[in-house]
Amino acid sequence: MDHLQQSFAVRFTYNVFFTEHLFAPANSLLTDFLQSRRQEGTTQKILFVLDSGVVAHHPELPTQITSYFASVRTASLVPDLLILPGGEAAKNDPDLVEQIVDAVDRYGIDRHSYIAAVGGGSVLDLVGYAAAISHRGIRHIRIPTTVLSQNDSGVGVKNGVNYRGKKNFLGTFAPPVAVFNDLTFLTSLDDRDWRAGISEAIKVALIKDKPFFDWIEANAAALAHRDMVAMQYLVHRCAEMHLQHIAGGDPFEMGSSRPLDFGHWSAHKLEQLTNFDLRHGEAVAIGIALDSLYSHDLGWLTETEVNRILTTLHTLGFSLYHPMLDADNSVGILKGLAEFREHLGGRLTIMLLETIGKGVEVNEMDADRIRRAINTLREQELINL
Amino acid sequence: MDHLQQSFAVRFTYNVFFTEHLFAPANSLLTDFLQSRRQEGTTQKILFVLDSGVVAHHPELPTQITSYFASVRTASLVPDLLILPGGEAAKNDPDLVEQIVDAVDRYGIDRHSYIAAVGGGSVLDLVGYAAAISHRGIRHIRIPTTVLSQNDSGVGVKNGVNYRGKKNFLGTFAPPVAVFNDLTFLTSLDDRDWRAGISEAIKVALIKDKPFFDWIEANAAALAHRDMVAMQYLVHRCAEMHLQHIAGGDPFEMGSSRPLDFGHWSAHKLEQLTNFDLRHGEAVAIGIALDSLYSHDLGWLTETEVNRILTTLHTLGFSLYHPMLDADNSVGILKGLAEFREHLGGRLTIMLLETIGKGVEVNEMDADRIRRAINTLREQELINL
């Protein structure tokens, strides 16, 4: 049959910078970046969107940003900094997407201009989405402020908002033009947010990098006590592995598998069952514990290995059981497994562990083994209380 | 400074098929395509969105589609075919995006499933946008029904809707997984829509392919009399050049130039000034005439060449003057030039003609020369009346 074939590749390139005090007058990292991207004859504007939770901990931030840009000639700051609610609420309110799109319109932000988001993963997801759909994609700069966003979602290529309560129902794949990981923001996180981000590092170490898991295990107490040097290494290594995974795989997930999602199928459901009272990273820690026990039950992970994993999670301060694990099957995590299968288009793909540092994919999970793993988590929780 | 560099390429591949009677029971083109894309163990659903204007001319279409899929095993048709208004109205109503997203939710359309759009460029733009933002991109099949969409926008990679009257303010770059150009739909177009699509072919011929312009000139009368064989060739060649332009250039327009847009700066403004009473292709015909005269005024195109262009446009039945060309400067097409400059980020890039078949970019346009070209168009219109 008569046809024309179209085929082309689009290259995406961006840097993830590590710094401290990004908006200090002496720190030229951001302005150097903007200067390097400037095209002669064009005007670069930059619109900032700030997470209200970050501003609450850093009330000086808006003034700092305004001062920082006062003497900058390579880009012109939109004087009106948008401050939007952080956390999952950022992704549940369609008006917030509209507020950003309105600002794009009002201030004439074009495809040579930038939207910079400063905040946790939810605000980055929201702003990334609004930037991606405005003018078919405005240049987007991410300045993640949590452990989780600095080492995982913030350095990746996804964005999204919820739609009628369905997580990330609306979104696109749209790489940022740059990410600036400012360690300073991590100092003001509360303990839960500090800890929650670590579970993605454990996840990636368990499926790909035994030496990294060994390091996390050895540094778990230091991390729990908020050792900044240890956290700096953890964020850097985890971000590096996340970037490698994206570049080496299927960046826009046009195929079917999602092999980095160890411990995630139950985590997604637990977040929803607890009405997002459990943070993503806290739910992932439980999911990692569950799927590690399941892998042991299959005869893959040794008992020593599974104990090392559970002990490391405990040392970091994670709680590894939640009553919602025992919710009725009709709404509980087995339902989550069915939903995950549907989400993947009917063919289930779940990552489990053959050994520490080596993940392996399976296409089915057994309800009895899941139940046994949950029982173990419940019993261990009682012992730990 | 410490940083990680991310770099990856994403490949996009799709076919543009040429056929007739796509939904005839004996035509297996579409089902063969779906079969070729099927992954074992997954369920492919397909949701159709139809342009109400097309259904008005082809009232049997919904039944045809339902019958066609009745015996198909490779994909399961969502029984509820959405019929949405066509034309620019499709892109002005945010509720229509929501209607499609709601259907995605209601029928569980996932990333292994398809949304197929049957219609003119506006409906394709609307549906493409809704598909692109749902679940970070649902597979999108385009079945363009107008000359313009079969030879230009429908085979490309853009989508979009208007926002508060601003054209294509919201949109993404998202290639379809396949395009099916069914010649049958062209037979039922009214004369204006038949003709309007030809101007994009003239545009691309003028800037890139003299033999193609020679062919259009020689076949202008046949095309005006709705010769189907001539139209088939025109659509095929124009689509081919449009695909080559995308693949050979900057598919997602991450740089700054838009070199295929000959005759478009004034056309966009004329569409708006006439409240979309002028169709896009009709406005482009005027824009081509204007910028051809301008190119002649600069001493580039010869008088013979500019007359060949104007005569070809006339033979095809285009009107080459509109009173809005003489609208006051504060709102008129010179304002459009300023807006176009702003849209491009401050640096103007306009394609003009050195000779037939060879476009050349300039970075400024002279108001007096534009005025002279408009005067010529007005005078010629009086002679032709």
Side-chain angles (χ1 to χ4, degrees):
Chain A
M1 183 57 71
D2 184 24
H3 72 271
L4 298 167
Q5 189 184 40
Q6 176 69 307
S7 182
F8 58 84
V10 178
R11 181 158 289 278
F12 297 91
T13 305
Y14 59 95
N15 286 343
V16 177
F17 297 96
F18 295 86
T19 189
E20 294 179 56
H21 303 292
L22 179 63
F23 299 111
N27 191 335
S28 66
L29 194 61
L30 178 55
T31 51
D32 288 349
F33 166 77
L34 292 169
Q35 176 62 35
S36 73
R37 295 279 306 224
R38 192 179 180 201
Q39 287 174 325
E40 203 200 309
T42 63
T43 307
Q44 300 187 111
K45 298 176 189 171
I46 184 164
L47 169 71
F48 271 83
V49 184
L50 312 180
D51 184 324
S52 65
V54 175
V55 176
H57 282 101
H58 300 271
E60 74 294 351
L61 185 62
T63 311
Q64 271 183 346
I65 292 173
T66 306
S67 305
Y68 184 81
F69 279 94
S71 57
V72 166
R73 291 169 175 219
T74 55
S76 129
L77 176 72
V78 171
D80 179 13
L81 311 187
L82 297 190
I83 300 178
L84 302 182
E88 200 65 21
K91 300 174 65 168
N92 278 327
D93 182 356
D95 283 350
L96 298 179
V97 175
E98 185 133 347
Q99 275 190 44
I100 300 167
V101 171
D102 274 349
V104 168
D105 182 17
R106 189 162 61 250
Y107 298 111
I109 306 296
D110 57 31
R111 288 221 301 267
H112 295 272
S113 296
Y114 299 84
I115 303 184
V118 184
S122 296
V123 165
L124 301 186
D125 272 2
L126 162 69
V127 178
Y129 177 63
I133 63 173
S134 295
H135 295 309
R136 301 199 184 99
I138 288 172
R139 295 172 180 177
H140 175 44
I141 292 172
R142 296 213 190 109
I143 303 169
T145 58
T146 62
V147 176
L148 180 61
S149 55
Q150 289 196 2
N151 71 11
D152 189 82
S153 62
V155 304
V157 299
K158 300 182 189 181
N159 58 56
V161 296
N162 307 333
Y163 178 74
R164 303 196 175 169
K166 306 216 171 179
K167 199 161 162 70
N168 295 325
F169 195 93
L170 298 178
T172 72
F173 291 94
V177 294
V179 180
F180 294 88
N181 274 343
D182 183 344
L183 203 66
T184 323
F185 288 114
L186 305 186
T187 59
S188 60
L189 295 175
D190 71 30
D191 283 344
R192 284 184 69 187
D193 283 326
W194 170 278
R195 183 187 303 119
I198 300 173
S199 54
E200 296 289 347
I202 296 173
K203 172 200 78 176
V204 73
L206 285 173
I207 60 180
K208 286 201 166 181
D209 186 354
K210 180 173 182 303
F212 188 34
F213 179 79
D214 295 343
W215 181 92
I216 297 173
E217 182 182 40
N219 288 273
L223 287 164
H225 292 100
R226 303 191 64 141
D227 181 305
M228 200 48 101
V229 175
M231 182 55 92
Q232 191 167 12
Y233 176 77
L234 179 130
V235 167
H236 193 285
R237 177 65 187 141
C238 186
E240 185 178 29
M241 292 188 73
H242 195 63
L243 291 172
Q244 285 167 355
H245 171 74
I246 292 168
D250 177 11
F252 289 2
E253 295 178 15
M254 299 195 288
S256 58
S257 75
R258 302 158 41 108
L260 251 193
D261 274 358
F262 175 62
H264 274 59
W265 69 270
S266 56
H268 286 307
K269 192 67 188 174
L270 272 177
E271 282 181 86
Q272 188 200 333
L273 286 170
T274 62
N275 211 8
F276 298 97
D277 181 42
L278 269 188
R279 289 189 166 84
H280 178 67
E282 293 170 337
V284 169
I286 295 173
I288 288 171
L290 183 69
D291 287 353
S292 296
L293 284 164
Y294 187 101
S295 300
H296 172 54
D297 196 56
L298 279 175
W300 293 352
L301 273 188
T302 65
E303 186 166 353
T304 307
E305 286 181 308
V306 77
N307 284 337
R308 286 179 62 193
I309 296 169
L310 298 182
T311 302
T312 300
L313 290 167
H314 269 131
T315 303
L316 286 164
F318 284 110
S319 182
L320 300 182
Y321 174 77
H322 190 285
M324 277 299 168
L325 283 171
D326 284 312
D328 188 84
N329 280 351
S330 65
V331 297
I333 65 158
L334 286 177
K335 182 90 190 311
L337 194 63
E339 288 167 359
F340 193 61
R341 182 196 306 273
E342 195 184 327
H343 174 70
L344 293 178
R347 181 182 169 90
L348 190 67
T349 305
I350 295 280
M351 175 74 78
L352 293 174
L353 295 183
E354 194 177 295
T355 182
I356 286 177
K358 185 165 182 208
V360 62
E361 286 184 355
V362 298
N363 296 115
E364 57 183 349
M365 287 194 81
D366 179 76
D368 289 338
R369 290 189 200 274
I370 293 172
R371 192 51 59 203
R372 278 203 292 276
I374 291 172
N375 289 343
T376 305
L377 289 176
R378 190 189 325 99
E379 287 158 14
Q380 294 212 346
E381 179 80 357
L382 289 173
I383 294 166
N384 286 320
L385 283 180
Chain B
M1 183 58 71
D2 183 23
H3 71 271
L4 298 168
Q5 189 184 39
Q6 175 69 306
S7 181
F8 58 83
V10 179
R11 181 157 290 278
F12 297 93
T13 305
Y14 60 95
N15 285 343
V16 178
F17 297 97
F18 295 85
T19 189
E20 294 179 55
H21 303 291
L22 179 63
F23 299 110
N27 190 334
S28 66
L29 194 60
L30 179 54
T31 50
D32 288 349
F33 166 77
L34 292 169
Q35 176 62 35
S36 73
R37 295 280 306 226
R38 192 179 180 202
Q39 289 174 323
E40 204 200 308
T42 63
T43 307
Q44 299 186 113
K45 298 177 189 170
I46 183 163
L47 169 70
F48 271 83
V49 184
L50 312 180
D51 184 324
S52 64
V54 175
V55 176
H57 282 101
H58 301 272
E60 75 293 352
L61 185 62
T63 312
Q64 272 183 346
I65 293 172
T66 306
S67 305
Y68 184 82
F69 279 94
S71 58
V72 167
R73 293 171 173 216
T74 55
S76 130
L77 177 71
V78 172
D80 179 12
L81 310 188
L82 296 190
I83 301 178
L84 302 183
E88 199 66 21
K91 299 173 65 168
N92 279 326
D93 182 356
D95 283 351
L96 299 178
V97 175
E98 185 133 347
Q99 275 190 44
I100 301 167
V101 171
D102 275 349
V104 168
D105 182 17
R106 189 162 62 251
Y107 298 111
I109 307 295
D110 57 32
R111 287 220 303 267
H112 295 272
S113 296
Y114 298 85
I115 303 184
V118 185
S122 296
V123 165
L124 301 186
D125 272 3
L126 162 70
V127 179
Y129 176 64
I133 63 172
S134 295
H135 295 309
R136 300 199 185 98
I138 288 171
R139 294 171 181 178
H140 175 43
I141 292 172
R142 296 215 190 108
I143 304 170
T145 57
T146 62
V147 177
L148 181 61
S149 54
Q150 289 196 2
N151 71 10
D152 190 82
S153 63
V155 304
V157 299
K158 299 182 190 181
N159 59 55
V161 295
N162 307 334
Y163 178 74
R164 305 198 175 166
K166 306 216 171 179
K167 200 162 161 69
N168 295 326
F169 195 93
L170 298 178
T172 72
F173 292 95
V177 295
V179 180
F180 295 89
N181 274 344
D182 182 343
L183 204 65
T184 324
F185 287 114
L186 305 186
T187 60
S188 60
L189 294 176
D190 70 29
D191 284 343
R192 285 184 69 188
D193 282 326
W194 171 277
R195 184 186 303 120
I198 300 173
S199 54
E200 296 290 347
I202 296 172
K203 173 200 76 176
V204 72
L206 285 174
I207 59 180
K208 286 201 167 182
D209 186 354
K210 181 172 182 303
F212 188 33
F213 180 79
D214 294 344
W215 181 92
I216 297 172
E217 183 182 41
N219 288 273
L223 287 164
H225 292 101
R226 302 190 65 141
D227 182 305
M228 200 48 103
V229 175
M231 183 54 93
Q232 191 166 12
Y233 176 77
L234 179 130
V235 168
H236 193 285
R237 177 64 186 143
C238 186
E240 186 176 31
M241 293 187 73
H242 194 64
L243 292 172
Q244 285 167 354
H245 172 74
I246 292 168
D250 176 10
F252 289 1
E253 296 178 15
M254 298 195 288
S256 58
S257 75
R258 302 155 43 106
L260 252 192
D261 274 358
F262 175 61
H264 274 59
W265 69 269
S266 55
H268 285 309
K269 191 67 190 175
L270 273 177
E271 283 181 87
Q272 188 200 334
L273 286 169
T274 63
N275 211 9
F276 297 96
D277 181 42
L278 271 188
R279 290 190 164 86
H280 179 67
E282 293 170 337
V284 168
I286 295 173
I288 289 172
L290 183 68
D291 287 352
S292 296
L293 284 164
Y294 188 101
S295 300
H296 172 54
D297 195 55
L298 279 176
W300 293 352
L301 274 188
T302 65
E303 185 165 353
T304 307
E305 285 182 309
V306 77
N307 284 337
R308 287 178 63 192
I309 297 169
L310 298 182
T311 301
T312 300
L313 290 167
H314 269 132
T315 303
L316 286 163
F318 284 110
S319 185
L320 301 182
Y321 174 77
H322 191 284
M324 278 299 169
L325 283 171
D326 284 313
D328 188 83
N329 280 353
S330 66
V331 297
I333 64 160
L334 286 177
K335 182 91 189 310
L337 194 63
E339 287 167 359
F340 193 61
R341 183 196 305 272
E342 195 182 326
H343 174 70
L344 294 178
R347 181 183 169 89
L348 189 67
T349 305
I350 296 281
M351 175 73 79
L352 294 174
L353 295 182
E354 193 177 297
T355 182
I356 287 176
K358 185 165 182 209
V360 62
E361 287 184 354
V362 299
N363 296 114
E364 56 182 349
M365 287 193 82
D366 178 75
D368 289 338
R369 291 188 200 274
I370 293 172
R371 192 52 60 202
R372 277 203 292 276
I374 292 173
N375 288 343
T376 305
L377 289 176
R378 191 188 327 99
E379 287 158 15
Q380 295 211 346
E381 179 80 357
L382 290 171
I383 295 166
N384 285 320
L385 283 180

